[in-house]
Amino acid sequence: MADTYCRDCGKQTEVVFDHAAGDTICSECGLVLEAHSIDETSEWRTFANESNDNDPVRVGGPYNPLLTDGGLSTVISKPNGSSGEFLSSSLGKWQGRGANPDRNLIQAFKSIAIMSDRLGLVTTIKDRANEIYKKVEDQKPLKGRNLDAILAACLYIACRQENKPRTVKEICSVANGATKKEIGRAKEFIVKLLEGEMGQSVEMGAIHAADYMRRFCSNLGMTNQEVKAAQEVVLKSEELDIRRSPISIAAAVIYIITQLSSDKKPLKDISVATRVAEGTIKNSYKDLYPHLLKIIPSWFAKEEDLKNLCHP
């Protein structure tokens, strides 16, 4: 219901929208004020995690230059609740015969999209991973290789190239059964293929502890002051000769900062949030301990506070 001017009643009256017919009708006299209007609202409400692959949308995705037909080919959907009948029907058989040359590619893109969504990655990273996979698949058949590891490695490389790195453990947590070792081998295979056989440089950039700091701190619910202090510490720690991985350094710094704050985080919680073993965090903390006066900002903690930290 809404108010509008009716030329028959000669006054502002309430009107009724007939969405089925597309008519706007005066509630006072029944005059059709506007016929066959276009309803620009959606016909339904669909929630992706509740659709169960029965999404009623009748349009496809946007143009995809990585696919042969741009992803604009038409596929007749199966009637609800009759997938078996559809496949055995003449229509289903004809559709099955028209094999889509990009069928495997589309499936790979879907897998990358699922992993990206689970990690909360932006579209640019997902698109970069799709491009990397397309180059690899065009260059060499992947039959016999662990496809899940290849897709996960493409996503790992894309994150590095977009300066939004994720740890191998984080990628592994969303990869469909692929192990860290398999993803590492797949990454080496992709880099070797693109650089050696295609002559393309695969620039991934160096990983720094600061790249992970904000995300790890957010996972632990740390305050803005604590996050700021942790970021300052990791930047100063890069000047030290500590031969530990950036992820281990980031986890150790978080442990130090939380121990200096009122809200002390258990080592176990930091290990879960950063996916770094408790023993590794302790060893990194041991390496950082002699340099605390130099790397901990004075505005965050005093020298007396540092002395109260447990000795590794």
Side-chain angles (χ1 to χ4, degrees):
M1 301 284 287
D3 291 340
T4 190
Y5 179 79
C6 177
R7 55 182 177 273
D8 190 41
C9 299
K11 60 181 179 179
Q12 290 286 121
T13 58
E14 288 188 338
V15 296
V16 178
F17 297 102
D18 184 348
H19 296 283
D23 296 339
T24 304
I25 305 168
C26 175
S27 61
E28 295 289 336
C29 62
L31 178 69
V32 177
L33 301 175
E34 185 178 357
H36 305 296
S37 58
I38 299 175
D39 184 3
E40 297 181 352
T41 61
S42 60
E43 299 175 62
W44 49 74
R45 295 175 66 196
T46 302
F47 301 94
N49 58 343
E50 299 176 2
S51 61
N52 297 322
D53 295 329
N54 292 323
D55 191 349
V57 174
R58 294 193 292 268
V59 297
Y63 177 78
N64 189 341
L66 299 179
L67 301 178
T68 303
D69 56 8
L72 302 179
S73 59
T74 301
V75 177
I76 303 173
S77 63
K78 307 168 188 175
N80 291 335
S82 58
S83 59
E85 297 175 7
F86 174 78
L87 291 175
S88 61
S89 66
S90 298
L91 183 60
K93 289 178 181 178
W94 276 109
Q95 182 161 290
R97 287 174 186 172
N100 187 345
D102 293 325
R103 182 173 54 187
N104 294 334
L105 201 59
I106 292 171
Q107 189 59 45
F109 290 169
K110 285 182 179 178
S111 298
I112 290 174
I114 291 172
M115 289 190 291
S116 299
D117 290 342
R118 288 177 179 174
L119 288 173
L121 302 177
V122 295
T123 304
T124 52
I125 295 178
K126 180 189 69 174
D127 293 342
R128 176 64 66 92
N130 288 343
E131 291 175 12
I132 295 171
Y133 178 79
K134 180 69 164 60
K135 291 177 182 178
V136 173
E137 202 229 22
D138 287 345
Q139 187 68 16
K140 180 170 287 188
L142 297 174
K143 190 175 182 180
R145 291 192 173 272
N146 188 331
L147 184 59
D148 293 323
I150 294 290
L151 295 173
C154 290
L155 193 60
Y156 174 80
I157 295 172
C159 289
R160 292 277 299 271
Q161 291 184 338
E162 292 294 325
N163 296 319
K164 300 293 182 182
R166 294 294 186 271
T167 66
V168 178
K169 284 187 178 180
E170 287 179 296
I171 298 292
C172 187
S173 68
V174 298
N176 192 19
T179 64
K180 278 182 61 180
K181 195 171 185 179
E182 290 170 337
I183 295 174
R185 287 175 178 172
K187 187 199 77 168
E188 292 176 2
F189 163 74
I190 293 171
V191 172
K192 182 180 179 181
L193 178 68
L194 296 181
E195 289 187 342
E197 299 187 19
M198 296 184 67
Q200 295 185 0
S201 176
V202 183
E203 297 290 341
M204 289 190 285
I207 296 178
H208 301 280
D211 296 332
Y212 305 100
M213 187 55 67
R214 182 167 289 279
R215 191 169 74 257
F216 289 165
C217 291
S218 176
N219 293 340
L220 287 163
M222 295 170 62
T223 64
N224 290 334
Q225 289 289 90
E226 292 169 346
V227 175
K228 183 181 177 181
Q231 289 177 323
E232 283 191 31
V233 173
V234 293
L235 290 176
K236 291 179 181 179
S237 66
E238 291 182 354
E239 302 172 2
L240 307 175
D241 185 21
I242 297 178
R243 299 180 182 180
R244 296 279 177 183
S245 71
I247 304 167
S248 302
I249 295 293
V253 168
I254 290 174
Y255 174 73
I256 294 169
I257 293 299
T258 56
Q259 296 308 302
L260 290 170
S261 66
S262 57
D263 184 18
K264 294 178 171 58
K265 304 290 183 184
L267 185 61
K268 183 180 179 181
D269 291 353
I270 297 173
S271 176
V272 171
T274 60
R275 299 180 185 272
V276 178
E278 293 183 28
T280 305
I281 297 176
K282 288 179 180 178
N283 291 333
S284 300
Y285 170 61
K286 184 178 180 180
D287 292 340
L288 289 171
Y289 186 82
H291 308 282
L292 292 183
L293 281 173
K294 182 179 180 181
I295 62 177
I296 300 295
S298 57
W299 60 264
F300 183 77
K302 299 178 181 179
E303 186 175 346
E304 298 174 1
D305 299 325
L306 300 180
K307 291 179 180 179
N308 292 330
L309 284 175
C310 63
H311 195 283

